[in-house]
Structure formats: C-alpha cells, structure tokens
Amino acid sequence: MSRFTLHGFHLSVPAYKVALAISMMGESFDFKPTNLRAGEHKKPEFIAINRFGQVPALEDKVAGFSLCQSTAMMEYLAGVTGKMGGSSPEEKVRVREWLYWSFDKLNAPIFRIRAQRFGFRSFSQSIAEMYVSEGALALDTVNKHLEGRAFMVGNSVTIADIEIYGAVSCAAQAGHSFATYPNIAAFIANFETQKGFKTALAFMPV
Ligand SMILES: N[C@@H](CCC(=O)N[C@@H](CS)C(=O)NCC(=O)O)C(=O)O
C-alpha cells in the first residue's frame, strides 16, 4: 500500500497532473477510479474526501487527511517531498507565478473547449470562439517564454512544468495547432522523456 491514494478519472487532466507529480517525485500511489459520467463524484462518500465534488481527490494516509484541487496537491507534494518546487527562493516563487497564471489564463480556455468536445459541457459558438482566442493568447505567452528554455523555471523539471504540460498537451484537442507554437512542441517532447513520466492511461486505466 502506498502513502497516497489518488481518486481520478482517465480523462481528467487535473488528476493526471497529480499522478505525474507523484511519479516524477519518485513516489507511488494507489489509484481509485471515480466515474464522472456515472456521477460518482457527487456521492456523499466522495464529497467526504473532496468537498467540491470534483476529481482529483488525494488521500495522504500518513498525514491522515485528504486534499482538493490539483494545484494545491502538487504544492503539497513538493512541500512534503522537498522535490520539484524550485531550488532557490526565486525559483520557488517563479514556479508559483506560473501555477497561478495558468489557473487564470491558460486552463479555462483549453479545458472548457476540450470538455465541450468530450460532451461534458455545452455553450454557444460565440463563447467557444472566445475560449479559442483566449487560449491562443495564453499559448503564445508560453511559447515566447519557452524560447531557448527546456523548462518553465530553472534547469530541471518542476511542478510548473507539470501544470503547463497538462494544459498545452491538450491544445490540439482544444482546436490549436502546434505548428504555431514550436517551442511548446519541443517542451512537450522533452517533458515526455523525463524520469517518472507516463501517459494518463498508464496511470489511470479506463
Ligand atoms: N481546479 C480543479 C478542477 C477539477 C475539475 O475540474 N475536475 C473535473 C474533472 S477534470 C470534475 O470533477 N468535474 C466535475 C465537476 O466539476 O462537477 C482542480 O484542479 O482540481
């Protein structure tokens, strides 16, 4: 039995990010599937471990509590393992800047369009166009930052890379072309060679 239990769903990128963080930090976890299409995330037993009724939920059996929100989970994991949170005070705050920026500008336009395509959300064409154009602006910001860099912060993989990878790896599913963002394409290729990397389905089978 592992210290951590991750409750997730194979299509959930937030759950995938936490799986990546645990694996890339050299730790292990037990995976428990939560079927979103069957509404399992709204059942009382799930709300008891994630008050927001969302996957992922992360149980830390050593600490004796469970966590909500994938980014908070990654920050917690970086804290308890001492890994991937940045190696100096400046790097640590740069990592957090990307986490908050991504939440603000990158995730919504990518994941709302993806959720629409997978049948989890519906909205009008004009709202879809707004998300595509906001997504393009955010991807452009990441692409420019990655000019001449292999990682979002510093010289090794951090949770900022996992955060950004989670979104940019879904860019094509949200209507964007990697041809426009060559630095992002190179970042993805490099990220996928890092120790502990696996695909979402390898962590979270259907
Ligand atoms: N900000 C949250 C987002 C979690 C989230 O949106 N989870 C989706 C699946 S990817 C979900 O559970 N959706 C159902 C719902 O929100 O009711 C996180 O990063 O953990």
Side-chain angles (χ1 to χ4, degrees):
M1 191 169 70
S2 301
R3 171 174 178 173
F4 301 107
T5 299
L6 177 66
H7 298 254
F9 180 66
H10 64 283
L11 290 175
S12 168
V13 176
Y16 180 36
K17 288 188 309 186
V18 177
L20 280 170
I22 298 172
S23 175
M24 294 173 101
M25 288 170 191
E27 304 288 331
S28 65
F29 62 90
D30 300 313
F31 177 64
K32 287 212 178 152
T34 305
N35 189 337
L36 293 191
R37 295 202 196 273
E40 287 177 4
H41 55 308
K42 300 301 179 196
K43 295 199 168 146
E45 56 271 28
F46 190 82
I47 301 287
I49 53 167
N50 182 323
R51 76 184 83 90
F52 304 123
Q54 293 181 305
V55 295
L58 181 69
E59 292 180 69
D60 179 345
K61 297 180 207 85
V62 170
F65 56 74
S66 58
L67 291 84
C68 310
Q69 293 294 328
S70 61
T71 306
M73 292 171 199
M74 291 199 298
E75 291 195 86
Y76 177 76
L77 290 162
V80 296
T81 64
K83 295 177 185 168
M84 293 178 60
S87 55
S88 67
E90 183 182 357
E91 277 192 18
K92 286 181 201 301
V93 77
R94 298 287 173 233
V95 165
R96 301 189 83 205
E97 286 173 354
W98 282 109
L99 299 180
Y100 293 120
W101 175 84
S102 175
F103 185 81
D104 184 24
K105 295 289 185 190
L106 179 64
N107 286 348
I110 301 291
F111 292 129
R112 301 251 156 93
I113 295 285
R114 180 176 180 265
Q116 184 196 41
R117 290 194 172 188
F118 288 172
F120 288 103
R121 293 185 85 118
S122 66
F123 39 74
S124 67
Q125 184 60 24
S126 62
I127 290 180
E129 282 164 11
M130 178 193 77
Y131 283 136
V132 171
S133 100
E134 289 184 2
L137 278 176
L139 289 167
D140 190 51
T141 299
V142 175
N143 193 60
K144 284 189 173 126
H145 177 73
L146 285 169
E147 182 67 39
R149 290 172 200 265
F151 302 99
M152 293 301 296
V153 176
N155 295 317
S156 60
V157 67
T158 67
I159 56 175
D161 295 300
I162 298 178
E163 176 70 28
I164 297 298
Y165 175 81
V168 299
S169 61
C170 295
Q173 292 171 338
H176 303 280
S177 162
F178 288 118
T180 323
Y181 309 109
N183 298 331
I184 292 179
F187 167 81
I188 289 173
N190 180 54
F191 183 87
E192 291 179 352
T193 67
Q194 299 300 311
K195 194 160 184 265
F197 175 85
K198 290 184 193 172
T199 64
L201 284 177
F203 287 127
M204 303 184 293
V206 181

